[in-house]
Amino acid sequence: MRRFNYKARDKASGRVIKGNIQADSEQTAGKLLLEQGYIPQSISEEGSGLFGKADSRVTTKDRVMFTRQLSTLIGAGLPLASSLRTVAEQAQNKAMKTVAEEILTAVESGKSLYEAFSAHSDIFNGVYLALIQAGEKSGTLDLALKRLADQEEKDAAMMSKIKGALVYPAIILVVIIAVLAFMMIAVVPQVEALYEDMGEQLPGLTQFLVNITNFFGSFWWLVLIIVAAAIGGSIYFIKKTTAGRRVADNFKLHAPIFGGLFKKLYVSRFARTAEMMLATGVPMLDSITISIDAVNNTIVEDEYRKSLELIKGGKSLSESLSDRNHMLPLVPQMAGIGEESGKIDEMLGRAALVYENELTDQVNNISTMIEPILMVCMAGIIGVVVGGTLLPIYSLVNSVGG
C-alpha cells in the first residue's frame, strides 16, 4: 500500500480538508475519497516532492510530544476527537502528523482508540497499546498517556546517557588511530630510507612496522573492502538474524564494565513497565508478559518467561522471580512486600527507581572507569611505534658517533 496526500471538498459541508490516505494507486485513492463523501481536488503520493521523504520517520521525541499533548488535552476535558485533531494540527514532524490524522479518521469512523493505535504497531509498541486499552476501559486514558510519556522520556534520557558515555572512549580511539597512522605514514618510511642509505639492516620491530606500512600502502583498497564487508556483514547478522541478535544481546550482558550496567537497565525497565501496567488495571499475567517483551534483550526475555510459566502455575510473582538469572534481588523482595501490603505496583516502582538511580550514577562514572584502561592501551600502542622508529635512529646516531 502506498500513502497519498490529498486535498478534497466535503460534499455535505462544502469544507475543504487536507489529509492522508493509503491506497494501491492514485486512482484507487480518488475512489476511496468519493466513497467517503469527499470530492478530490488534488492527490499526490507522499514523498514524491522535491525533498523526497523528509521527516518520514517518527522519533521517540515526536512520540513523547504527541503522547504528552494528547494526555493534557484529554485531562483538560476536551473530547477525544477534538484532542486528536488539535494534536495533529500541532505536530511538526510530517510522519507524526500523518499518523495522528489517520488515528483521528479511525476514531471518527467509530473505532476505539486502541484499534486506531493498533493500526500503527510499528510506531506504538505492545506496552503503549496495552496501556491505551487499559486506560480506555478504566476511564483513565489521560493518566495512562501521562505514564507513557514519562516512561519514554526516562528511557530516552537513559539511552542518551549511555551513548554519551561512549563518546569519550570513541574520541580516544580516533586519536590512537590518527597518531598511529601518522607515525606509520610519515615516520616509518623515513627510518627505512635512512637505514638503506647507511647500509644497515633494520631491527626486527622496525622491519615489522615497515612491512605493515608497505602492506597498507599497496593493498589499502583490499583493507577497505574487508572492513566494509565485515561491518556490513556484522550489522546484517545482528539486525536481520535471530542468532545474531542473541549473540549481541549476550555480549551486552557480559561486556566488561557495561555488562552490569545493561543488566540494571533491563531489570529497571521490566519493573517500571510492570508498575505502569498493574497501576493502570492490566491483569497480572498480561502485565508481566508485556513487561518481559519491553526488556528488549532476547536472553533476558527467555529467562524471565520461565517466571511467567511459574505464575501461570499458581506461584506468586515474588517466588517466580527469585533465583532467576539476570534478575537482581531487590525486585522479588519488593514484589513480596507488595503482595503482603496489596501494593505490588508501588513496590515494583520503588525497586525500579533504585536501579534507575544506580544506573545514572554508574553511567556518570563510566568515563572515569574507562580512562585508565584507554590510557594504558594508548601508551602501549604508541610505545611500540615509537620503539620501532625513534630508537633505531638513536642507535644509528650512537654507532656513527662511536
Side-chain angles (χ1 to χ4, degrees), residues 307-380:
S307 297
L308 185 62
E309 296 303 316
L310 295 177
I311 295 173
K312 291 179 180 178
K315 284 196 173 185
S316 65
L317 178 62
S318 57
E319 289 179 302
S320 303
L321 294 176
S322 298
D323 299 323
R324 186 66 58 210
N325 290 338
H326 312 305
M327 172 58 70
L328 298 175
L330 186 61
V331 174
Q333 290 172 7
M334 296 298 282
I337 296 172
E339 288 163 350
E340 294 176 1
S341 63
K343 299 179 179 179
I344 299 180
D345 57 328
E346 183 180 331
M347 293 300 106
L348 287 175
R350 291 186 182 183
L353 182 61
V354 169
Y355 288 124
E356 286 167 354
N357 290 337
E358 289 183 6
L359 196 57
T360 299
D361 293 338
Q362 190 171 346
V363 169
N364 291 336
N365 293 328
I366 277 182
S367 294
T368 304
M369 291 186 290
I370 293 180
E371 185 174 355
I373 300 173
L374 290 175
M375 290 298 104
V376 171
C377 293
M378 186 174 181

XYZ file of all heavy atoms in Angstrom, residues 307-380:
552
model
N 9.690 -17.437 34.625
C 8.909 -16.937 35.753
C 7.439 -16.842 35.385
O 6.556 -17.114 36.211
C 9.422 -15.547 36.171
O 10.760 -15.614 36.626
N 7.162 -16.467 34.157
C 5.780 -16.361 33.696
C 5.074 -17.713 33.765
O 3.904 -17.791 34.173
C 5.756 -15.814 32.265
C 4.386 -15.515 31.662
C 3.669 -14.442 32.458
C 4.539 -15.067 30.208
N 5.793 -18.765 33.409
C 5.194 -20.106 33.483
C 4.893 -20.487 34.924
O 3.883 -21.145 35.208
C 6.146 -21.130 32.846
C 6.379 -20.931 31.357
C 5.073 -20.960 30.572
O 4.236 -21.848 30.854
O 4.895 -20.102 29.689
N 5.750 -20.077 35.851
C 5.508 -20.372 37.273
C 4.290 -19.613 37.786
O 3.508 -20.131 38.587
C 6.741 -20.000 38.100
C 8.015 -20.818 37.828
C 9.173 -20.297 38.670
C 7.784 -22.296 38.127
N 4.112 -18.377 37.316
C 2.939 -17.588 37.716
C 1.669 -18.256 37.205
O 0.657 -18.355 37.922
C 3.051 -16.149 37.181
C 4.245 -15.438 37.828
C 1.766 -15.367 37.449
C 4.537 -14.073 37.238
N 1.713 -18.736 35.968
C 0.558 -19.448 35.414
C 0.249 -20.703 36.219
O -0.911 -21.134 36.307
C 0.825 -19.821 33.954
C 0.867 -18.639 33.003
C 1.171 -19.088 31.585
C 1.220 -17.906 30.636
N 1.561 -18.321 29.235
N 1.293 -21.292 36.812
C 1.114 -22.500 37.616
C 0.623 -22.224 39.025
O 0.425 -23.157 39.805
N 0.466 -20.936 39.365
C -0.108 -20.607 40.661
C 0.850 -19.989 41.654
O 0.441 -19.616 42.761
N 2.126 -19.850 41.306
C 3.082 -19.255 42.243
C 2.954 -17.733 42.245
O 2.498 -17.124 41.269
C 4.514 -19.656 41.881
C 4.860 -21.090 42.269
C 6.361 -21.299 42.246
C 6.737 -22.676 42.800
N 8.196 -22.863 42.899
N 3.394 -17.125 43.332
C 3.345 -15.668 43.438
C 4.435 -15.049 42.563
O 5.379 -15.727 42.144
C 3.542 -15.237 44.888
O 4.853 -15.581 45.332
N 4.289 -13.757 42.324
C 5.272 -13.045 41.496
C 6.646 -13.062 42.158
O 7.652 -13.289 41.479
C 4.803 -11.602 41.275
C 5.746 -10.699 40.477
C 5.945 -11.240 39.066
C 5.204 -9.268 40.432
N 6.689 -12.850 43.467
C 7.979 -12.811 44.166
C 8.694 -14.157 44.097
O 9.907 -14.215 43.885
C 7.774 -12.399 45.620
O 6.867 -13.265 46.276
N 7.934 -15.243 44.266
C 8.537 -16.585 44.184
C 9.028 -16.863 42.771
O 10.103 -17.451 42.574
C 7.523 -17.646 44.592
C 7.181 -17.688 46.067
C 6.145 -18.753 46.372
O 5.054 -18.696 45.784
O 6.439 -19.656 47.188
N 8.263 -16.451 41.789
C 8.594 -16.746 40.389
C 9.840 -16.000 39.926
O 10.581 -16.497 39.071
C 7.411 -16.376 39.484
O 6.247 -17.065 39.875
N 10.057 -14.808 40.502
C 11.212 -14.008 40.095
C 12.481 -14.334 40.880
O 13.572 -13.943 40.482
C 10.895 -12.519 40.250
C 9.801 -11.944 39.342
C 9.551 -10.484 39.684
C 10.172 -12.085 37.864
N 12.344 -15.038 42.000
C 13.506 -15.353 42.843
C 14.425 -16.356 42.155
O 13.976 -17.230 41.401
C 13.039 -15.927 44.181
O 12.265 -14.985 44.880
N 15.722 -16.233 42.410
C 16.744 -17.142 41.869
C 16.690 -17.234 40.356
O 16.934 -18.294 39.769
C 16.590 -18.546 42.479
C 16.752 -18.536 43.983
O 17.597 -17.764 44.473
O 16.034 -19.288 44.657
N 16.372 -16.144 39.722
C 16.297 -16.113 38.270
C 17.528 -15.407 37.722
O 17.923 -14.344 38.229
C 15.022 -15.369 37.851
C 14.729 -15.375 36.366
C 14.407 -16.740 35.841
N 13.265 -17.341 36.522
C 13.124 -18.637 36.677
N 14.074 -19.458 36.232
N 12.074 -19.135 37.281
N 18.162 -16.012 36.723
C 19.340 -15.385 36.114
C 18.976 -14.006 35.557
O 17.893 -13.821 34.988
C 19.886 -16.255 34.978
C 20.528 -17.522 35.495
O 20.937 -17.590 36.654
N 20.607 -18.535 34.648
N 19.885 -13.063 35.712
C 19.728 -11.699 35.215
C 18.627 -10.917 35.928
O 18.240 -9.836 35.462
C 19.466 -11.682 33.700
C 20.411 -12.536 32.918
N 21.781 -12.395 32.995
C 20.193 -13.577 32.056
C 22.357 -13.287 32.212
N 21.428 -14.015 31.643
N 18.097 -11.447 37.023
C 17.142 -10.703 37.834
C 17.838 -10.277 39.129
O 18.345 -11.132 39.865
C 15.909 -11.552 38.149
C 14.942 -10.907 39.152
S 14.324 -9.286 38.617
C 13.271 -9.767 37.249
N 17.901 -9.004 39.402
C 18.550 -8.500 40.605
C 17.625 -8.682 41.813
O 16.400 -8.597 41.681
C 18.931 -7.035 40.409
C 19.933 -6.801 39.263
C 20.171 -5.314 39.030
C 21.244 -7.510 39.545
N 18.175 -8.922 42.998
C 17.389 -9.396 44.146
C 16.336 -8.436 44.680
O 15.348 -8.872 45.261
C 18.463 -9.663 45.217
C 19.652 -8.872 44.795
C 19.612 -8.846 43.311
N 16.509 -7.135 44.498
C 15.572 -6.192 45.089
C 14.161 -6.317 44.497
O 13.168 -6.092 45.212
C 16.086 -4.760 44.899
C 15.269 -3.663 45.587
C 15.246 -3.875 47.098
C 15.825 -2.282 45.245
N 14.055 -6.690 43.232
C 12.740 -6.758 42.592
C 11.851 -7.831 43.227
O 10.716 -7.538 43.627
C 12.885 -6.961 41.070
C 11.513 -7.190 40.429
C 13.564 -5.766 40.440
N 12.303 -9.103 43.337
C 11.441 -10.081 44.012
C 11.180 -9.744 45.476
O 10.098 -10.024 45.999
C 12.210 -11.400 43.867
C 13.595 -11.032 43.498
C 13.498 -9.740 42.782
N 12.150 -9.125 46.150
C 11.945 -8.738 47.547
C 10.844 -7.683 47.663
O 9.936 -7.795 48.501
C 13.245 -8.198 48.136
C 14.322 -9.259 48.347
C 15.664 -8.648 48.741
O 15.766 -7.454 48.980
N 16.692 -9.486 48.795
N 10.899 -6.668 46.809
C 9.873 -5.627 46.837
C 8.525 -6.167 46.367
O 7.470 -5.740 46.864
C 10.305 -4.441 45.973
C 11.550 -3.733 46.477
S 11.352 -2.993 48.115
C 10.425 -1.525 47.712
N 8.551 -7.110 45.420
C 7.303 -7.727 44.978
C 6.642 -8.484 46.125
O 5.415 -8.453 46.285
C 7.566 -8.665 43.802
N 7.469 -9.155 46.935
C 6.938 -9.874 48.094
C 6.291 -8.924 49.093
O 5.213 -9.206 49.636
N 6.930 -7.780 49.344
C 6.356 -6.775 50.244
C 5.048 -6.244 49.664
O 4.060 -6.050 50.382
C 7.352 -5.619 50.466
C 8.601 -6.136 51.176
C 6.704 -4.489 51.264
C 9.713 -5.110 51.269
N 5.027 -6.060 48.353
C 3.818 -5.569 47.698
C 2.676 -6.561 47.772
O 1.507 -6.172 47.910
N 3.001 -7.832 47.682
C 1.962 -8.866 47.789
C 1.336 -8.882 49.181
O 0.131 -9.098 49.334
C 2.557 -10.233 47.445
C 2.848 -10.398 45.958
C 3.790 -11.551 45.647
O 4.373 -12.117 46.610
O 3.941 -11.879 44.470
N 2.140 -8.624 50.184
C 1.625 -8.604 51.559
C 0.806 -7.350 51.840
O -0.182 -7.406 52.577
C 2.797 -8.691 52.545
C 3.552 -10.015 52.498
C 4.760 -10.023 53.425
O 4.978 -8.993 54.112
O 5.468 -11.043 53.461
N 1.209 -6.233 51.241
C 0.525 -4.967 51.507
C -0.551 -4.627 50.489
O -1.295 -3.656 50.665
C 1.553 -3.824 51.539
O 2.190 -3.695 50.272
N -0.616 -5.405 49.397
C -1.581 -5.112 48.341
C -1.165 -3.963 47.440
O -2.002 -3.374 46.756
N 0.125 -3.633 47.423
C 0.632 -2.531 46.604
C 1.811 -3.005 45.750
O 2.910 -2.448 45.801
C 1.069 -1.364 47.489
C -0.062 -0.767 48.331
C 0.448 0.366 49.198
C -0.676 0.978 50.017
N -0.194 2.080 50.887
N 1.570 -4.036 44.953
C 2.653 -4.598 44.136
C 3.190 -3.558 43.158
O 4.403 -3.419 42.980
C 2.169 -5.842 43.367
C 1.715 -6.937 44.336
C 3.274 -6.378 42.464
C 1.232 -8.182 43.656
N 2.278 -2.819 42.518
C 2.719 -1.827 41.534
C 3.620 -0.779 42.167
O 4.670 -0.412 41.614
C 1.514 -1.174 40.851
C 0.562 -0.524 41.849
O 0.453 -1.036 42.977
O -0.066 0.499 41.503
N 3.251 -0.297 43.345
C 4.046 0.724 44.023
C 5.424 0.195 44.413
O 6.438 0.886 44.257
C 3.305 1.212 45.267
C 4.015 2.335 45.999
C 3.244 2.798 47.221
O 1.998 2.689 47.223
O 3.904 3.281 48.181
N 5.468 -1.025 44.914
C 6.751 -1.604 45.336
C 7.662 -1.869 44.133
O 8.875 -1.654 44.210
C 6.503 -2.907 46.099
C 5.807 -2.745 47.446
S 6.743 -1.700 48.598
C 5.767 -0.193 48.566
N 7.092 -2.319 43.024
C 7.895 -2.526 41.817
C 8.438 -1.187 41.312
O 9.576 -1.106 40.829
C 7.053 -3.201 40.734
C 6.720 -4.680 40.946
C 5.774 -5.174 39.860
C 7.986 -5.529 40.965
N 7.624 -0.142 41.442
C 8.081 1.191 41.044
C 9.252 1.659 41.883
O 10.188 2.282 41.374
N 9.215 1.358 43.189
C 10.328 1.742 44.067
C 11.598 0.965 43.716
O 12.700 1.529 43.740
C 9.945 1.491 45.523
C 8.859 2.423 46.042
C 8.613 2.222 47.528
N 7.538 3.093 48.005
C 7.152 3.164 49.274
N 7.774 2.402 50.188
N 6.182 3.975 49.631
N 11.448 -0.316 43.410
C 12.614 -1.111 43.002
C 13.216 -0.556 41.714
O 14.439 -0.439 41.576
C 12.214 -2.568 42.817
N 12.329 -0.207 40.770
C 12.806 0.362 39.508
C 13.555 1.663 39.751
O 14.598 1.924 39.136
C 11.621 0.600 38.567
N 13.040 2.492 40.673
C 13.678 3.774 40.965
C 15.080 3.584 41.540
O 16.015 4.324 41.194
C 12.812 4.562 41.957
C 13.317 5.955 42.341
C 13.409 6.853 41.100
C 12.408 6.588 43.389
N 15.237 2.581 42.405
C 16.553 2.304 42.992
C 17.566 1.982 41.896
O 18.673 2.541 41.852
C 16.472 1.138 43.998
C 17.874 0.674 44.401
C 15.693 1.554 45.236
N 17.193 1.081 40.989
C 18.127 0.675 39.933
C 18.325 1.784 38.909
O 19.407 1.899 38.312
C 17.637 -0.603 39.262
C 17.786 -1.819 40.155
C 16.698 -2.626 40.457
C 19.015 -2.147 40.723
C 16.832 -3.736 41.287
C 19.156 -3.248 41.549
C 18.061 -4.036 41.832
O 18.206 -5.120 42.658
N 17.300 2.601 38.675
C 17.457 3.735 37.762
C 18.467 4.734 38.311
O 19.298 5.275 37.565
C 16.101 4.408 37.534
C 15.166 3.611 36.628
C 13.734 4.134 36.660
O 13.443 5.045 37.463
O 12.912 3.616 35.893
N 18.399 4.979 39.610
C 19.363 5.902 40.235
C 20.781 5.327 40.205
O 21.749 6.045 39.933
C 18.950 6.198 41.675
C 17.686 7.048 41.756
O 17.357 7.761 40.811
N 16.978 6.959 42.867
N 20.893 4.019 40.496
C 22.208 3.380 40.436
C 22.757 3.423 39.012
O 23.963 3.622 38.802
C 22.106 1.929 40.911
C 21.872 1.781 42.412
C 21.862 0.326 42.850
O 22.152 -0.551 41.998
O 21.572 0.059 44.031
N 21.872 3.226 38.062
C 22.275 3.238 36.654
C 22.802 4.616 36.261
O 23.819 4.739 35.571
C 21.071 2.853 35.791
C 21.313 2.434 34.346
C 22.275 1.268 34.269
C 19.989 2.073 33.688
N 22.095 5.646 36.713
C 22.530 7.010 36.409
C 23.918 7.287 36.980
O 24.790 7.844 36.300
C 21.518 8.023 36.978
O 20.239 7.802 36.374
C 21.966 9.450 36.696
N 24.131 6.890 38.232
C 25.444 7.094 38.862
C 26.532 6.318 38.129
O 27.644 6.822 37.918
C 25.395 6.650 40.332
C 24.496 7.548 41.179
O 24.258 8.695 40.760
O 24.022 7.090 42.230
N 26.205 5.084 37.740
C 27.204 4.249 37.065
C 27.556 4.816 35.696
O 28.730 4.818 35.303
C 26.668 2.820 36.921
C 27.719 1.816 36.462
C 27.213 0.388 36.542
O 26.191 0.100 37.163
N 27.920 -0.515 35.892
N 26.553 5.299 34.981
C 26.810 5.894 33.666
C 27.686 7.133 33.807
O 28.606 7.363 33.015
C 25.480 6.252 32.962
C 25.739 7.109 31.726
C 24.738 4.982 32.552
N 27.408 7.932 34.830
C 28.200 9.145 35.057
C 29.664 8.832 35.385
O 30.549 9.656 35.145
C 27.595 9.965 36.194
C 26.248 10.570 35.808
O 25.963 10.767 34.635
N 25.421 10.857 36.806
N 29.903 7.641 35.924
C 31.264 7.268 36.329
C 32.002 6.430 35.279
O 33.160 6.064 35.491
C 31.224 6.474 37.636
C 30.770 7.332 38.806
O 31.025 8.524 38.836
N 30.089 6.729 39.768
N 31.325 6.138 34.177
C 31.928 5.248 33.176
C 33.213 5.837 32.604
O 34.220 5.143 32.442
C 30.913 4.931 32.056
C 29.997 3.794 32.505
C 31.627 4.529 30.771
C 29.001 3.355 31.477
N 33.166 7.110 32.280
C 34.359 7.742 31.701
C 35.549 7.630 32.650
O 36.679 7.394 32.231
C 34.073 9.215 31.388
O 33.107 9.323 30.377
N 35.269 7.806 33.948
C 36.334 7.706 34.953
C 36.905 6.298 35.002
O 38.113 6.101 35.164
C 35.793 8.098 36.335
O 35.224 9.406 36.253
C 36.893 8.096 37.370
N 36.022 5.285 34.845
C 36.473 3.896 34.904
C 37.258 3.502 33.655
O 38.243 2.762 33.724
C 35.260 2.961 35.064
C 34.563 3.076 36.420
S 33.264 1.825 36.617
C 32.041 2.392 35.453
N 36.842 4.015 32.519
C 37.450 3.595 31.249
C 38.755 4.341 30.969
O 39.655 3.799 30.319
C 36.455 3.810 30.090
C 35.273 2.845 30.245
C 37.114 3.615 28.740
C 34.240 2.980 29.167
N 38.858 5.563 31.470
C 40.017 6.404 31.144
C 41.359 5.734 31.413
O 42.237 5.742 30.525
C 39.917 7.726 31.919
C 41.021 8.705 31.556
C 40.826 10.050 32.220
O 39.783 10.249 32.877
O 41.715 10.910 32.073
N 41.604 5.123 32.602
C 42.913 4.486 32.820
C 43.199 3.352 31.847
O 44.339 3.201 31.381
C 42.811 3.949 34.251
C 41.660 4.647 34.868
C 40.742 5.008 33.769
N 42.170 2.572 31.521
C 42.352 1.457 30.581
C 42.748 1.982 29.210
O 43.666 1.471 28.560
C 41.063 0.618 30.492
C 40.699 0.046 31.867
C 41.204 -0.498 29.463
C 39.362 -0.660 31.902
N 42.056 3.022 28.767
C 42.359 3.599 27.455
C 43.758 4.208 27.428
O 44.472 4.106 26.417
C 41.314 4.656 27.104
C 39.908 4.150 26.798
C 38.957 5.313 26.585
C 39.915 3.258 25.556
N 44.130 4.854 28.520
C 45.461 5.468 28.579
C 46.561 4.407 28.472
O 47.561 4.598 27.779
C 45.615 6.254 29.874
C 44.778 7.523 29.963
S 45.203 8.746 28.695
C 43.826 8.533 27.556
N 46.351 3.280 29.151
C 47.331 2.188 29.098
C 47.422 1.629 27.681
O 48.525 1.396 27.152
C 46.973 1.084 30.106
C 47.846 -0.144 29.898
C 47.115 1.588 31.534
N 46.262 1.413 27.059
C 46.254 0.885 25.683
C 46.935 1.861 24.727
O 47.727 1.461 23.863
C 44.818 0.624 25.236
S 43.991 -0.700 26.132
N 46.588 3.147 24.888
C 47.171 4.169 24.019
C 48.684 4.235 24.197
O 49.441 4.300 23.214
C 46.534 5.524 24.341
C 46.950 6.647 23.416
S 46.028 8.160 23.773
C 46.696 9.258 22.518
N 49.131 4.203 25.445
C 50.568 4.252 25.720
C 51.274 3.030 25.144
O 52.375 3.139 24.588
C 50.805 4.339 27.227
N 50.640 1.861 25.261
C 51.248 0.637 24.746
C 51.408 0.665 23.240
O 52.474 0.324 22.705
